[in-house]
Amino acid sequence: MCRRAHVLGLDQVVKLSSTMHAMKVVVCVKQIPDPADPGALDPETRTLKRDVKLILDESDSYGVEMALQLVEAAGEGEVTLVSMAPNNERSGLATALAMGAASATLVSDPALVGTDALTTAKILAATIKDQGADLVIAGSESSDGYTGTVPEQIAAVLDLPSVTAAKSVEVDGSNILVKRQTDAGYDSIICPMPAVISVTAGVVEPRYPSFKGIMAAKSKPVEEKLAADLGFEEDQVGWSGSGQEIVEVAEAPTREAGDIIEDDGEAHVKIVEFLESLKVI
Amino acid sequence: MHFDEPEDFAVIRSEVRRLADKYGNTYWRSLEPDRYPEEFVSELTKNGWLSALIPEEYGGGGLSLSGATVILEEIAASGGNPGACHAQMYVMGTLLRHGSEEQKHKYLPRVADGSLRLQAFAVTEPEAGSETGKIRTKAERDGDTWRISGQKIWTSRAEYSDLMILLARTTPAEECERAIDGLSVFLVEMRNAEGSLVNGMTINPIDTWMNHSTTEVFFDDVVIPADALIGTEGMGFRHVLDGMNAERILIASECIGDGRFFLDKASAYANDRVVFGRPIGANQGVQFPLAKAYAHLEAANLMRFKAAWLFDQGHSCGAEANMAKMLASNASWEAGNAALDTHGGFGFAAEYDIERKLRETRLYQVAPINNNLILAFLGEKVLGMPKSY
């Protein structure tokens, strides 16, 4: 049973005072094929080929930035990374380390090829659970798989409260105050730590790794683990451990041509009628 | 022997490119004709890229020259103009190699963190271009000070610099055995506490073909402290000469970046632009000049890395540094011309950035040393033929 996060009234948020607290933040990061050079789908597995250049998923760079800002605001603490890959690819981790994370754990194992979202969450949770994190941050969804479920699954496995779509996070004693993005605006949430939060793209401006950061990243520790090191049997991970199967991949439908409204002096009427027919106005 | 780039370089390339792409061609175009890229230079400095060559003990990155060339190459390849800030990398070389420990500890950490800009390198004069021994700006010792009088020209970025490396005559030429003797190099603090230019110094911007923030600087009895002298009095020419090899190698790398920019743009355009029912790149008249320029650019690139490697090993690299600059500037100009032809009329349109980059890269066949003088150097010093000038 997860401990609950509570939605606050605005007045409650205003009354809360900030206190400083050494922060240990774990950020889940994924290394994905460069969207500028994404490669192709493997026709057999119907998944993205990963034999191209991998980079830090941009959606995770927001989580790294938010974690760094929280630690900076706390005045002490550190940001560590966890990641999972079917090979010992580190280039994306290097970017996050160069941004300022202190160390990383990479679960690197060929047996992980084909691992689904839930097993990914279990593996990441197993990596996180003994780290003594105050906060676990993940991107809302990866830019290659887009399942959007892993952060909440990690929270469930670790039995931690979870807040999704965080647009801002502030530490207040043993709690975090989160503004959660909604369609209408945002919810103000108070949540006890430790907790898992997912952040949406664009909520912070990820810093550019400095030259010194890049050089320092080379000597930052990256611990590699196998799935077996975390207590997983071979049939619990990869394709064999996956509870889901991709049965078909189809081309996205071609975008249809729009209607062109000639302005004969009555164009505005036609546009209003069109928007009304869509119930947009 | 291998030609693999060190792993670090890939990270440097991608991060510099990411930062440079944030600005993009629209930004560089908007600076025309003469606005300094203050925002870009500040961000580059803040992220430590311009202090990459300063040793770590003085707050810099301690990077090799080979690595530093990659930084400037990527800025140029993105469409930017590293000429706006490249001097921040190499001008400090004279101070680093010949300055006293006191001078280095006083200035280098502040150059590294960006609180001081050392971008002005004042050597050339209206009556003394490549013939450095003819410079007339003089520094006369007066108690605990030096008094500077004279004029420099083509001192780029002086308006945006806090410090200047200045070459001045301290012993009259007629009293020297050789014309290049009797010259001394100084580190001049250009601004007073209020940020204004020091008494007696005047800077006049010069309108040029490209946006390079170049100026002429007048010294009317400018007084600087005695300890502004770098190294040994009378040895100034040799002291600045050391930094010139680094300058040439860095500028060669900028030209390599420019060439990549031209060829990337032109080959993409040649594939996309359809005339008479097929891409114009299917015509040998379009394709071959680009391919030829690519071959020349790659050859220049090899010389760039050879020169940089020699420099990093502490070996003599004068010929290689000069050849790299000459080959790269010729190749980038060739690539730019081919890109202009490929784009047809659009190549002259500002929004395509070809004409802007072509103006920028053309400078480097002339500066920091004319390519003809490089040929003269090779002919005389390397091939042993008579002096040709």
Side-chain angles (χ1 to χ4, degrees), chain A residues 95 208-212 214-215 218, chain B residues 8 15 18 22 47 49 59-61:
Chain A
T95 302
Y208 289 94
S210 69
F211 171 69
K212 284 187 181 176
I214 290 169
M215 292 295 119
K218 289 191 295 182
Chain B
D8 297 351
E15 291 306 328
R18 208 154 64 91
K22 177 179 153 188
N47 285 286
W49 296 107

Side-chain angles (χ1 to χ4, degrees), chain B residues 362-375:
Chain B
R362 181 63 176 84
L363 172 66
Y364 298 125
Q365 289 181 311
V366 175
I369 182 174
N370 196 299
N371 282 354
N372 275 341
L373 268 174
I374 292 177
L375 294 174

Side-chain angles (χ1 to χ4, degrees), chain B residues 67-369:
Chain B
T69 67
V70 167
I71 296 171
L72 297 183
E73 179 192 338
E74 287 304 321
I75 295 169
S78 78
N81 180 8
C85 51
H86 59 198
Q88 184 86 356
M89 276 194 176
Y90 63 75
V91 170
M92 64 82 206
T94 303
L95 173 62
L96 179 65
R97 274 186 290 275
H98 302 288
S100 65
E101 272 308 310
E102 193 181 348
Q103 286 173 323
K104 287 191 273 190
H105 281 289
K106 181 178 177 185
Y107 294 108
L108 287 177
R110 297 188 63 199
V111 173
D113 70 19
S115 56
L116 282 179
R117 281 194 183 151
L118 172 51
Q119 298 228 31
F121 192 38
V123 175
T124 308
E125 298 184 5
E127 303 298 324
S130 301
E131 196 174 3
T132 308
K134 291 279 190 193
I135 66 168
R136 289 157 53 183
T137 296
K138 62 181 180 184
E140 291 178 309
R141 188 67 184 261
D142 181 14
D144 288 339
T145 64
W146 293 93
R147 306 184 88 92
I148 315 287
S149 297
Q151 179 192 359
K152 294 291 177 181
I153 197 166
W154 311 126
T155 309
S156 298
R157 303 158 299 273
E159 293 172 286
Y160 307 98
S161 193
D162 304 299
L163 300 171
M164 168 189 284
I165 296 283
L166 169 73
L167 190 69
R169 182 159 288 289
T170 46
T171 304
E174 52 274 20
E175 295 175 22
C176 298
E177 189 178 329
R178 296 185 306 168
I180 56 168
D181 294 337
L183 302 174
S184 299
V185 65
F186 299 91
L187 183 64
V188 179
E189 292 191 13
M190 300 170 68
R191 300 178 192 283
N192 57 27
E194 289 76 44
S196 306
L197 288 178
V198 293
N199 283 339
M201 184 182 289
T202 308
I203 300 175
N204 290 337
I206 302 173
D207 288 341
T208 54
W209 198 31
M210 64 290 168
N211 183 8
H212 200 72
S213 308
T214 201
T215 70
E216 55 183 348
V217 183
F218 294 89
F219 301 85
D220 183 9
D221 197 23
V222 173
V223 179
I224 60 173
D227 62 6
L229 176 72
I230 295 177
T232 308
E233 184 182 339
M235 297 289 284
F237 182 76
R238 289 167 188 80
H239 292 346
V240 296
L241 205 58
D242 284 348
M244 287 178 173
N245 286 332
E247 177 191 41
R248 288 162 181 38
I249 296 166
L250 286 164
I251 284 174
S253 70
E254 292 177 40
C255 293
I256 300 294
D258 287 341
R260 283 174 50 201
F261 173 87
F262 291 129
L263 294 176
D264 286 349
K265 293 268 283 188
S267 54
Y269 188 83
N271 281 325
D272 290 345
R273 174 76 166 160
V274 174
V275 177
F276 301 120
R278 60 186 195 157
I280 59 171
N283 300 303
Q284 293 181 357
V286 172
Q287 187 182 106
F288 283 11
L290 296 175
K292 193 171 167 187
Y294 175 76
H296 290 157
L297 194 71
E298 281 295 295
N301 196 26
L302 291 175
M303 185 57 75
R304 177 267 290 254
F305 277 121
K306 179 178 180 184
W309 181 84
L310 288 167
F311 185 97
D312 287 333
Q313 301 304 311
H315 298 325
S316 168
C317 64
E320 289 80 3
N322 278 293
M323 285 192 287
K325 198 284 285 189
M326 184 187 80
L327 294 170
S329 62
N330 287 342
S332 64
W333 175 246
E334 181 185 1
N337 268 321
L340 193 68
D341 285 335
T342 303
H343 282 78
F346 292 109
F348 295 91
E351 68 176 283
Y352 280 75
D353 300 295
I354 302 292
E355 58 84 33
R356 173 177 61 83
K357 290 285 286 180
L358 196 58
R359 285 184 278 119
E360 289 168 2
T361 209
R362 181 63 176 84
L363 172 66
Y364 298 125
Q365 289 181 311
V366 175
I369 182 174

Side-chain angles (χ1 to χ4, degrees), chain A residues 99-121:
Chain A
M99 288 173 73
S103 63
T105 305
L106 174 65
V107 186
S108 168
D109 195 330
L112 296 174
V113 175
T115 300
D116 64 7
L118 180 57
T119 309
T120 299

Side-chain angles (χ1 to χ4, degrees), chain B residues 25-85:
Chain B
N25 286 307
T26 310
Y27 171 76
W28 291 100
R29 213 180 299 139
S30 74
L31 301 171
E32 296 268 285
D34 58 5
R35 192 165 79 77
Y36 188 71
E38 188 67 46
E39 307 83 358
F40 177 74
V41 175
S42 294
E43 186 156 11
L44 211 59
T45 306
K46 186 185 86 180
N47 285 286
W49 296 107
L50 293 183
S51 60
L53 279 174
I54 296 176
E56 288 174 289
E57 64 181 297
Y58 301 113
L63 187 65
S64 64
L65 184 72
S66 305
T69 67
V70 167
I71 296 171
L72 297 183
E73 179 192 338
E74 287 304 321
I75 295 169
S78 78
N81 180 8
C85 51

Side-chain angles (χ1 to χ4, degrees), chain A residues 153-205:
Chain A
Q153 290 169 334
I154 291 173
V157 174
L158 293 174
D159 193 22
L160 293 176
S162 164
V163 183
T164 57
K167 60 179 287 189
S168 77
V169 180
E170 193 182 326
V171 175
D172 185 81
S174 58
N175 294 319
I176 47 170
L177 310 176
V178 182
K179 288 179 181 171
R180 180 175 62 190
Q181 188 76 51
T182 67
D183 288 343
Y186 61 85
D187 293 333
S188 294
I189 294 170
I190 184 167
C191 175
M193 291 192 287
V196 178
I197 60 172
S198 66
V199 298
T200 45
V203 294
V204 284
E205 176 77 30

